[in-house]
mmCIF file of all heavy atoms in Angstrom:
data_model
loop_
_atom_site.group_PDB
_atom_site.id
_atom_site.type_symbol
_atom_site.label_atom_id
_atom_site.label_comp_id
_atom_site.label_asym_id
_atom_site.label_seq_id
_atom_site.Cartn_x
_atom_site.Cartn_y
_atom_site.Cartn_z
ATOM 1 N N TRP A 1 -9.446 14.741 15.886
ATOM 2 C CA TRP A 1 -9.564 13.285 15.768
ATOM 3 C C TRP A 1 -9.449 12.570 17.107
ATOM 4 O O TRP A 1 -9.979 11.461 17.270
ATOM 5 C CB TRP A 1 -8.499 12.771 14.800
ATOM 6 C CG TRP A 1 -8.720 13.280 13.407
ATOM 7 C CD1 TRP A 1 -8.100 14.329 12.813
ATOM 8 C CD2 TRP A 1 -9.672 12.784 12.472
ATOM 9 N NE1 TRP A 1 -8.587 14.524 11.539
ATOM 10 C CE2 TRP A 1 -9.557 13.583 11.311
ATOM 11 C CE3 TRP A 1 -10.601 11.760 12.486
ATOM 12 C CZ2 TRP A 1 -10.343 13.376 10.183
ATOM 13 C CZ3 TRP A 1 -11.380 11.537 11.366
ATOM 14 C CH2 TRP A 1 -11.253 12.350 10.230
ATOM 15 N N ASN A 2 -8.760 13.177 18.062
ATOM 16 C CA ASN A 2 -8.586 12.506 19.352
ATOM 17 C C ASN A 2 -9.890 12.387 20.139
ATOM 18 O O ASN A 2 -9.970 11.675 21.138
ATOM 19 C CB ASN A 2 -7.531 13.225 20.199
ATOM 20 C CG ASN A 2 -7.885 14.676 20.469
ATOM 21 O OD1 ASN A 2 -8.671 15.271 19.745
ATOM 22 N ND2 ASN A 2 -7.301 15.252 21.510
ATOM 23 N N LYS A 3 -10.937 13.058 19.661
ATOM 24 C CA LYS A 3 -12.231 12.971 20.321
ATOM 25 C C LYS A 3 -13.031 11.734 19.873
ATOM 26 O O LYS A 3 -14.075 11.428 20.449
ATOM 27 C CB LYS A 3 -13.062 14.234 20.040
ATOM 28 C CG LYS A 3 -12.528 15.486 20.722
ATOM 29 C CD LYS A 3 -13.484 16.655 20.485
ATOM 30 C CE LYS A 3 -13.006 17.907 21.228
ATOM 31 N NZ LYS A 3 -13.940 19.048 21.014
ATOM 32 N N TYR A 4 -12.526 11.074 18.824
ATOM 33 C CA TYR A 4 -13.268 9.953 18.261
ATOM 34 C C TYR A 4 -12.464 8.662 18.400
ATOM 35 O O TYR A 4 -11.255 8.645 18.184
ATOM 36 C CB TYR A 4 -13.584 10.192 16.782
ATOM 37 C CG TYR A 4 -14.360 11.469 16.544
ATOM 38 C CD1 TYR A 4 -13.699 12.649 16.185
ATOM 39 C CD2 TYR A 4 -15.741 11.510 16.697
ATOM 40 C CE1 TYR A 4 -14.402 13.827 15.976
ATOM 41 C CE2 TYR A 4 -16.449 12.682 16.482
ATOM 42 C CZ TYR A 4 -15.774 13.840 16.122
ATOM 43 O OH TYR A 4 -16.478 15.001 15.920
ATOM 44 N N SER A 5 -13.150 7.609 18.751
ATOM 45 C CA SER A 5 -12.484 6.302 18.827
ATOM 46 C C SER A 5 -12.534 5.632 17.461
ATOM 47 O O SER A 5 -13.477 5.842 16.684
ATOM 48 C CB SER A 5 -13.169 5.410 19.859
ATOM 49 O OG SER A 5 -14.474 5.061 19.430
ATOM 50 N N ARG A 6 -11.545 4.822 17.191
ATOM 51 C CA ARG A 6 -11.520 4.110 15.906
ATOM 52 C C ARG A 6 -12.712 3.165 15.760
ATOM 53 O O ARG A 6 -13.256 2.987 14.669
ATOM 54 C CB ARG A 6 -10.235 3.290 15.777
ATOM 55 C CG ARG A 6 -8.998 4.112 15.535
ATOM 56 C CD ARG A 6 -7.874 3.223 15.070
ATOM 57 N NE ARG A 6 -7.505 2.228 16.073
ATOM 58 C CZ ARG A 6 -7.004 1.038 15.799
ATOM 59 N NH1 ARG A 6 -6.844 0.675 14.552
ATOM 60 N NH2 ARG A 6 -6.664 0.190 16.760
ATOM 61 N N GLU A 7 -13.095 2.552 16.875
ATOM 62 C CA GLU A 7 -14.184 1.573 16.830
ATOM 63 C C GLU A 7 -15.513 2.192 16.401
ATOM 64 O O GLU A 7 -16.349 1.536 15.775
ATOM 65 C CB GLU A 7 -14.361 0.901 18.195
ATOM 66 C CG GLU A 7 -13.257 -0.080 18.571
ATOM 67 C CD GLU A 7 -12.026 0.605 19.141
ATOM 68 O OE1 GLU A 7 -12.023 1.861 19.216
ATOM 69 O OE2 GLU A 7 -11.074 -0.089 19.507
ATOM 70 N N LYS A 8 -15.717 3.474 16.745
ATOM 71 C CA LYS A 8 -16.990 4.125 16.435
ATOM 72 C C LYS A 8 -16.766 5.388 15.603
ATOM 73 O O LYS A 8 -17.413 6.422 15.827
ATOM 74 C CB LYS A 8 -17.726 4.455 17.728
ATOM 75 C CG LYS A 8 -18.102 3.222 18.535
ATOM 76 C CD LYS A 8 -18.842 3.591 19.817
ATOM 77 C CE LYS A 8 -19.220 2.360 20.611
ATOM 78 N NZ LYS A 8 -19.951 2.695 21.863
ATOM 79 N N LEU A 9 -15.885 5.282 14.640
ATOM 80 C CA LEU A 9 -15.567 6.418 13.783
ATOM 81 C C LEU A 9 -16.799 6.785 12.954
ATOM 82 O O LEU A 9 -17.295 5.968 12.177
ATOM 83 C CB LEU A 9 -14.398 6.033 12.867
ATOM 84 C CG LEU A 9 -13.591 7.169 12.235
ATOM 85 C CD1 LEU A 9 -12.953 8.044 13.306
ATOM 86 C CD2 LEU A 9 -12.517 6.589 11.323
ATOM 87 N N PRO A 10 -17.328 8.015 13.087
ATOM 88 C CA PRO A 10 -18.582 8.359 12.416
ATOM 89 C C PRO A 10 -18.406 8.871 10.985
ATOM 90 O O PRO A 10 -19.388 9.289 10.359
ATOM 91 C CB PRO A 10 -19.143 9.467 13.311
ATOM 92 C CG PRO A 10 -17.927 10.163 13.827
ATOM 93 C CD PRO A 10 -16.873 9.104 13.991
ATOM 94 N N PHE A 11 -17.187 8.865 10.479
ATOM 95 C CA PHE A 11 -16.912 9.455 9.180
ATOM 96 C C PHE A 11 -16.677 8.373 8.107
ATOM 97 O O PHE A 11 -16.261 7.256 8.407
ATOM 98 C CB PHE A 11 -15.669 10.342 9.241
ATOM 99 C CG PHE A 11 -15.722 11.377 10.322
ATOM 100 C CD1 PHE A 11 -14.956 11.244 11.474
ATOM 101 C CD2 PHE A 11 -16.549 12.492 10.198
ATOM 102 C CE1 PHE A 11 -15.002 12.189 12.479
ATOM 103 C CE2 PHE A 11 -16.602 13.455 11.202
ATOM 104 C CZ PHE A 11 -15.834 13.302 12.349
ATOM 105 N N THR A 12 -16.951 8.766 6.857
ATOM 106 C CA THR A 12 -16.544 7.961 5.708
ATOM 107 C C THR A 12 -15.587 8.785 4.861
ATOM 108 O O THR A 12 -15.594 10.023 4.930
ATOM 109 C CB THR A 12 -17.751 7.524 4.858
ATOM 110 O OG1 THR A 12 -18.493 8.694 4.469
ATOM 111 C CG2 THR A 12 -18.651 6.583 5.635
ATOM 112 N N PHE A 13 -14.784 8.102 4.065
ATOM 113 C CA PHE A 13 -13.712 8.775 3.337
ATOM 114 C C PHE A 13 -13.712 8.356 1.866
ATOM 115 O O PHE A 13 -13.931 7.193 1.539
ATOM 116 C CB PHE A 13 -12.357 8.419 3.957
ATOM 117 C CG PHE A 13 -12.253 8.725 5.417
ATOM 118 C CD1 PHE A 13 -12.725 7.831 6.374
ATOM 119 C CD2 PHE A 13 -11.699 9.925 5.855
ATOM 120 C CE1 PHE A 13 -12.629 8.105 7.730
ATOM 121 C CE2 PHE A 13 -11.596 10.211 7.209
ATOM 122 C CZ PHE A 13 -12.065 9.299 8.147
ATOM 123 N N LYS A 14 -13.442 9.343 0.998
ATOM 124 C CA LYS A 14 -13.303 9.088 -0.436
ATOM 125 C C LYS A 14 -12.092 9.852 -0.961
ATOM 126 O O LYS A 14 -11.940 11.042 -0.668
ATOM 127 C CB LYS A 14 -14.548 9.522 -1.208
ATOM 128 C CG LYS A 14 -15.812 8.742 -0.870
ATOM 129 C CD LYS A 14 -16.984 9.202 -1.723
ATOM 130 C CE LYS A 14 -18.241 8.413 -1.386
ATOM 131 N NZ LYS A 14 -19.393 8.813 -2.254
ATOM 132 N N GLN A 15 -11.273 9.163 -1.736
ATOM 133 C CA GLN A 15 -10.136 9.829 -2.364
ATOM 134 C C GLN A 15 -10.519 10.201 -3.796
ATOM 135 O O GLN A 15 -10.936 9.353 -4.579
ATOM 136 C CB GLN A 15 -8.900 8.932 -2.373
ATOM 137 C CG GLN A 15 -7.644 9.647 -2.858
ATOM 138 C CD GLN A 15 -6.414 8.763 -2.762
ATOM 139 O OE1 GLN A 15 -6.462 7.593 -3.081
ATOM 140 N NE2 GLN A 15 -5.297 9.346 -2.331
ATOM 141 N N GLY A 16 -10.388 11.487 -4.115
ATOM 142 C CA GLY A 16 -10.804 11.975 -5.417
ATOM 143 C C GLY A 16 -9.913 11.523 -6.557
ATOM 144 O O GLY A 16 -8.814 10.992 -6.354
ATOM 145 N N SER A 17 -10.388 11.726 -7.766
ATOM 146 C CA SER A 17 -9.631 11.368 -8.965
ATOM 147 C C SER A 17 -8.341 12.173 -9.049
ATOM 148 O O SER A 17 -8.259 13.300 -8.567
ATOM 149 C CB SER A 17 -10.481 11.657 -10.211
ATOM 150 O OG SER A 17 -11.711 10.981 -10.162
ATOM 151 N N GLY A 18 -7.346 11.589 -9.686
ATOM 152 C CA GLY A 18 -6.107 12.329 -9.881
ATOM 153 C C GLY A 18 -4.876 11.459 -9.749
ATOM 154 O O GLY A 18 -4.966 10.254 -9.498
ATOM 155 N N GLU A 19 -3.726 12.110 -9.905
ATOM 156 C CA GLU A 19 -2.463 11.379 -9.919
ATOM 157 C C GLU A 19 -2.191 10.628 -8.618
ATOM 158 O O GLU A 19 -1.598 9.573 -8.618
ATOM 159 C CB GLU A 19 -1.303 12.350 -10.202
ATOM 160 C CG GLU A 19 -1.295 12.922 -11.606
ATOM 161 C CD GLU A 19 -1.096 11.855 -12.668
ATOM 162 O OE1 GLU A 19 -0.378 10.874 -12.394
ATOM 163 O OE2 GLU A 19 -1.664 11.996 -13.766
ATOM 164 N N GLY A 20 -2.605 11.190 -7.497
ATOM 165 C CA GLY A 20 -2.285 10.557 -6.223
ATOM 166 C C GLY A 20 -3.251 9.471 -5.802
ATOM 167 O O GLY A 20 -3.049 8.837 -4.761
ATOM 168 N N ASN A 21 -4.292 9.250 -6.588
ATOM 169 C CA ASN A 21 -5.301 8.260 -6.217
ATOM 170 C C ASN A 21 -4.692 6.866 -6.147
ATOM 171 O O ASN A 21 -3.958 6.443 -7.039
ATOM 172 C CB ASN A 21 -6.454 8.286 -7.220
ATOM 173 C CG ASN A 21 -7.622 7.431 -6.768
ATOM 174 O OD1 ASN A 21 -7.584 6.225 -6.855
ATOM 175 N ND2 ASN A 21 -8.661 8.100 -6.285
ATOM 176 N N ALA A 22 -5.011 6.146 -5.070
ATOM 177 C CA ALA A 22 -4.429 4.819 -4.858
ATOM 178 C C ALA A 22 -4.831 3.839 -5.949
ATOM 179 O O ALA A 22 -4.136 2.838 -6.182
ATOM 180 C CB ALA A 22 -4.861 4.288 -3.496
ATOM 181 N N LEU A 23 -5.941 4.095 -6.649
ATOM 182 C CA LEU A 23 -6.398 3.199 -7.713
ATOM 183 C C LEU A 23 -5.810 3.563 -9.064
ATOM 184 O O LEU A 23 -6.108 2.901 -10.069
ATOM 185 C CB LEU A 23 -7.930 3.220 -7.810
ATOM 186 C CG LEU A 23 -8.709 2.915 -6.527
ATOM 187 C CD1 LEU A 23 -10.192 2.863 -6.824
ATOM 188 C CD2 LEU A 23 -8.244 1.615 -5.900
ATOM 189 N N GLY A 24 -4.988 4.616 -9.105
ATOM 190 C CA GLY A 24 -4.405 5.030 -10.370
ATOM 191 C C GLY A 24 -5.454 5.640 -11.277
ATOM 192 O O GLY A 24 -6.363 6.357 -10.833
ATOM 193 N N LYS A 25 -5.382 5.308 -12.567
ATOM 194 C CA LYS A 25 -6.279 5.923 -13.546
ATOM 195 C C LYS A 25 -7.399 4.997 -14.025
ATOM 196 O O LYS A 25 -8.300 5.440 -14.726
ATOM 197 C CB LYS A 25 -5.471 6.390 -14.763
ATOM 198 C CG LYS A 25 -4.445 7.468 -14.424
ATOM 199 C CD LYS A 25 -3.660 7.870 -15.659
ATOM 200 C CE LYS A 25 -2.632 8.966 -15.321
ATOM 201 N NZ LYS A 25 -1.837 9.367 -16.499
ATOM 202 N N PHE A 26 -7.325 3.706 -13.638
ATOM 203 C CA PHE A 26 -8.304 2.752 -14.154
ATOM 204 C C PHE A 26 -8.774 1.801 -13.061
ATOM 205 O O PHE A 26 -7.980 1.314 -12.256
ATOM 206 C CB PHE A 26 -7.714 1.919 -15.297
ATOM 207 C CG PHE A 26 -7.209 2.709 -16.459
ATOM 208 C CD1 PHE A 26 -5.863 3.045 -16.547
ATOM 209 C CD2 PHE A 26 -8.064 3.126 -17.460
ATOM 210 C CE1 PHE A 26 -5.377 3.774 -17.615
ATOM 211 C CE2 PHE A 26 -7.584 3.865 -18.538
ATOM 212 C CZ PHE A 26 -6.243 4.186 -18.620
ATOM 213 N N LYS A 27 -10.065 1.554 -13.094
ATOM 214 C CA LYS A 27 -10.675 0.582 -12.189
ATOM 215 C C LYS A 27 -11.579 -0.316 -13.022
ATOM 216 O O LYS A 27 -12.476 0.172 -13.725
ATOM 217 C CB LYS A 27 -11.481 1.316 -11.112
ATOM 218 C CG LYS A 27 -12.225 0.433 -10.131
ATOM 219 C CD LYS A 27 -12.992 1.316 -9.138
ATOM 220 C CE LYS A 27 -13.833 0.519 -8.177
ATOM 221 N NZ LYS A 27 -14.611 1.392 -7.259
ATOM 222 N N PHE A 28 -11.344 -1.624 -12.958
ATOM 223 C CA PHE A 28 -12.086 -2.591 -13.772
ATOM 224 C C PHE A 28 -13.029 -3.367 -12.852
ATOM 225 O O PHE A 28 -12.592 -4.068 -11.939
ATOM 226 C CB PHE A 28 -11.124 -3.521 -14.498
ATOM 227 C CG PHE A 28 -10.135 -2.779 -15.361
ATOM 228 C CD1 PHE A 28 -8.880 -2.446 -14.882
ATOM 229 C CD2 PHE A 28 -10.475 -2.398 -16.651
ATOM 230 C CE1 PHE A 28 -7.968 -1.747 -15.668
ATOM 231 C CE2 PHE A 28 -9.572 -1.697 -17.454
ATOM 232 C CZ PHE A 28 -8.317 -1.373 -16.953
ATOM 233 N N ILE A 29 -14.314 -3.220 -13.111
ATOM 234 C CA ILE A 29 -15.332 -3.612 -12.139
ATOM 235 C C ILE A 29 -16.089 -4.867 -12.578
ATOM 236 O O ILE A 29 -16.414 -5.043 -13.753
ATOM 237 C CB ILE A 29 -16.310 -2.447 -11.923
ATOM 238 C CG1 ILE A 29 -15.544 -1.203 -11.435
ATOM 239 C CG2 ILE A 29 -17.407 -2.808 -10.929
ATOM 240 C CD1 ILE A 29 -16.367 0.066 -11.457
ATOM 241 N N PHE A 30 -16.375 -5.730 -11.601
ATOM 242 C CA PHE A 30 -17.196 -6.925 -11.818
ATOM 243 C C PHE A 30 -17.953 -7.196 -10.524
ATOM 244 O O PHE A 30 -17.499 -6.849 -9.428
ATOM 245 C CB PHE A 30 -16.344 -8.134 -12.205
ATOM 246 C CG PHE A 30 -15.114 -8.311 -11.350
ATOM 247 C CD1 PHE A 30 -15.150 -9.033 -10.173
ATOM 248 C CD2 PHE A 30 -13.902 -7.743 -11.739
ATOM 249 C CE1 PHE A 30 -14.016 -9.192 -9.389
ATOM 250 C CE2 PHE A 30 -12.754 -7.893 -10.965
ATOM 251 C CZ PHE A 30 -12.817 -8.625 -9.785
ATOM 252 N N ASP A 31 -19.109 -7.811 -10.637
ATOM 253 C CA ASP A 31 -19.938 -8.081 -9.463
ATOM 254 C C ASP A 31 -19.278 -9.128 -8.569
ATOM 255 O O ASP A 31 -18.842 -10.185 -9.041
ATOM 256 C CB ASP A 31 -21.321 -8.592 -9.879
ATOM 257 C CG ASP A 31 -22.150 -7.512 -10.560
ATOM 258 O OD1 ASP A 31 -21.891 -6.328 -10.300
ATOM 259 O OD2 ASP A 31 -23.051 -7.862 -11.348
ATOM 260 N N ASN A 32 -19.207 -8.829 -7.279
ATOM 261 C CA ASN A 32 -18.773 -9.803 -6.279
ATOM 262 C C ASN A 32 -19.122 -9.269 -4.909
ATOM 263 O O ASN A 32 -19.337 -8.075 -4.733
ATOM 264 C CB ASN A 32 -17.275 -10.098 -6.394
ATOM 265 C CG ASN A 32 -16.394 -8.931 -6.030
ATOM 266 O OD1 ASN A 32 -15.925 -8.806 -4.906
ATOM 267 N ND2 ASN A 32 -16.149 -8.027 -7.002
ATOM 268 N N SER A 33 -19.177 -10.154 -3.941
ATOM 269 C CA SER A 33 -19.628 -9.786 -2.596
ATOM 270 C C SER A 33 -18.525 -9.202 -1.731
ATOM 271 O O SER A 33 -18.787 -8.796 -0.598
ATOM 272 C CB SER A 33 -20.210 -11.028 -1.896
ATOM 273 O OG SER A 33 -19.222 -12.044 -1.781
ATOM 274 N N SER A 34 -17.287 -9.137 -2.245
ATOM 275 C CA SER A 34 -16.156 -8.702 -1.424
ATOM 276 C C SER A 34 -15.619 -7.326 -1.812
ATOM 277 O O SER A 34 -14.585 -6.905 -1.285
ATOM 278 C CB SER A 34 -15.023 -9.723 -1.539
ATOM 279 O OG SER A 34 -15.468 -11.002 -1.180
ATOM 280 N N SER A 35 -16.316 -6.647 -2.729
ATOM 281 C CA SER A 35 -15.860 -5.327 -3.219
ATOM 282 C C SER A 35 -14.441 -5.403 -3.780
ATOM 283 O O SER A 35 -13.624 -4.503 -3.584
ATOM 284 C CB SER A 35 -15.925 -4.282 -2.086
ATOM 285 O OG SER A 35 -17.246 -4.130 -1.624
ATOM 286 N N ILE A 36 -14.151 -6.499 -4.469
ATOM 287 C CA ILE A 36 -12.851 -6.699 -5.108
ATOM 288 C C ILE A 36 -12.942 -6.239 -6.561
ATOM 289 O O ILE A 36 -13.962 -6.424 -7.226
ATOM 290 C CB ILE A 36 -12.439 -8.185 -5.043
ATOM 291 C CG1 ILE A 36 -12.252 -8.609 -3.590
ATOM 292 C CG2 ILE A 36 -11.160 -8.433 -5.843
ATOM 293 C CD1 ILE A 36 -11.127 -7.911 -2.864
ATOM 294 N N TYR A 37 -11.864 -5.626 -7.062
ATOM 295 C CA TYR A 37 -11.796 -5.223 -8.462
ATOM 296 C C TYR A 37 -10.339 -5.219 -8.891
ATOM 297 O O TYR A 37 -9.421 -5.344 -8.057
ATOM 298 C CB TYR A 37 -12.438 -3.843 -8.683
ATOM 299 C CG TYR A 37 -12.140 -2.843 -7.594
ATOM 300 C CD1 TYR A 37 -10.949 -2.105 -7.584
ATOM 301 C CD2 TYR A 37 -13.048 -2.629 -6.552
ATOM 302 C CE1 TYR A 37 -10.671 -1.196 -6.581
ATOM 303 C CE2 TYR A 37 -12.773 -1.718 -5.539
ATOM 304 C CZ TYR A 37 -11.584 -1.004 -5.560
ATOM 305 O OH TYR A 37 -11.310 -0.115 -4.555
ATOM 306 N N LEU A 38 -10.107 -5.098 -10.186
ATOM 307 C CA LEU A 38 -8.763 -4.928 -10.726
ATOM 308 C C LEU A 38 -8.551 -3.446 -10.954
ATOM 309 O O LEU A 38 -9.491 -2.730 -11.349
ATOM 310 C CB LEU A 38 -8.611 -5.687 -12.046
ATOM 311 C CG LEU A 38 -8.222 -7.180 -11.973
ATOM 312 C CD1 LEU A 38 -9.239 -7.979 -11.189
ATOM 313 C CD2 LEU A 38 -8.058 -7.761 -13.380
ATOM 314 N N HIS A 39 -7.332 -2.965 -10.710
ATOM 315 C CA HIS A 39 -7.123 -1.525 -10.884
ATOM 316 C C HIS A 39 -5.659 -1.192 -11.154
ATOM 317 O O HIS A 39 -4.743 -1.989 -10.931
ATOM 318 C CB HIS A 39 -7.619 -0.770 -9.637
ATOM 319 C CG HIS A 39 -6.844 -1.051 -8.384
ATOM 320 N ND1 HIS A 39 -5.724 -0.330 -8.015
ATOM 321 C CD2 HIS A 39 -7.038 -1.956 -7.399
ATOM 322 C CE1 HIS A 39 -5.261 -0.776 -6.868
ATOM 323 N NE2 HIS A 39 -6.035 -1.771 -6.466
ATOM 324 N N ASP A 40 -5.476 -0.004 -11.631
ATOM 325 C CA ASP A 40 -4.164 0.614 -11.823
ATOM 326 C C ASP A 40 -3.611 0.981 -10.437
ATOM 327 O O ASP A 40 -4.298 0.839 -9.416
ATOM 328 C CB ASP A 40 -4.375 1.861 -12.692
ATOM 329 C CG ASP A 40 -3.095 2.590 -13.037
ATOM 330 O OD1 ASP A 40 -2.007 1.997 -12.905
ATOM 331 O OD2 ASP A 40 -3.186 3.766 -13.432
ATOM 332 N N THR A 41 -2.402 1.460 -10.375
ATOM 333 C CA THR A 41 -1.838 1.930 -9.119
ATOM 334 C C THR A 41 -0.788 2.997 -9.401
ATOM 335 O O THR A 41 -0.154 2.990 -10.463
ATOM 336 C CB THR A 41 -1.199 0.777 -8.319
ATOM 337 O OG1 THR A 41 -0.597 1.293 -7.124
ATOM 338 C CG2 THR A 41 -0.123 0.079 -9.132
ATOM 339 N N ASN A 42 -0.620 3.925 -8.464
ATOM 340 C CA ASN A 42 0.459 4.911 -8.613
ATOM 341 C C ASN A 42 1.754 4.414 -7.980
ATOM 342 O O ASN A 42 2.763 5.103 -8.011
ATOM 343 C CB ASN A 42 0.043 6.256 -8.005
ATOM 344 C CG ASN A 42 -0.489 6.120 -6.578
ATOM 345 O OD1 ASN A 42 0.032 5.340 -5.793
ATOM 346 N ND2 ASN A 42 -1.548 6.870 -6.270
ATOM 347 N N ASN A 43 1.713 3.215 -7.401
ATOM 348 C CA ASN A 43 2.906 2.603 -6.822
ATOM 349 C C ASN A 43 3.433 1.522 -7.772
ATOM 350 O O ASN A 43 3.191 0.330 -7.578
ATOM 351 C CB ASN A 43 2.578 2.003 -5.453
ATOM 352 C CG ASN A 43 3.777 1.330 -4.812
ATOM 353 O OD1 ASN A 43 4.925 1.558 -5.210
ATOM 354 N ND2 ASN A 43 3.516 0.479 -3.826
#
């Protein structure tokens, strides 16, 4: 990772389904321009 700068990070990241997922078990989706949704949480 030290070879890459944060400003030009070439990677994308996805957290898979499961208990540790930051969105919990449910994500409630509606159209909007800000990628906002309602969701569960493991916290």
Side-chain angles (χ1 to χ4, degrees):
W1 295 99
N2 59 339
K3 290 185 177 181
Y4 303 96
S5 67
R6 287 195 298 151
E7 288 82 359
K8 297 180 180 180
L9 200 60
F11 307 106
T12 55
F13 304 84
K14 295 182 180 182
Q15 187 176 42
S17 304
E19 292 296 327
N21 189 284
L23 305 185
K25 297 179 180 179
F26 302 96
K27 177 181 176 182
F28 303 94
I29 302 168
F30 46 88
D31 291 335
N32 67 95
S33 61
S34 304
S35 299
I36 296 296
Y37 40 83
L38 274 59
H39 66 89
D40 183 17
T41 177
N42 51 39
N43 179 17

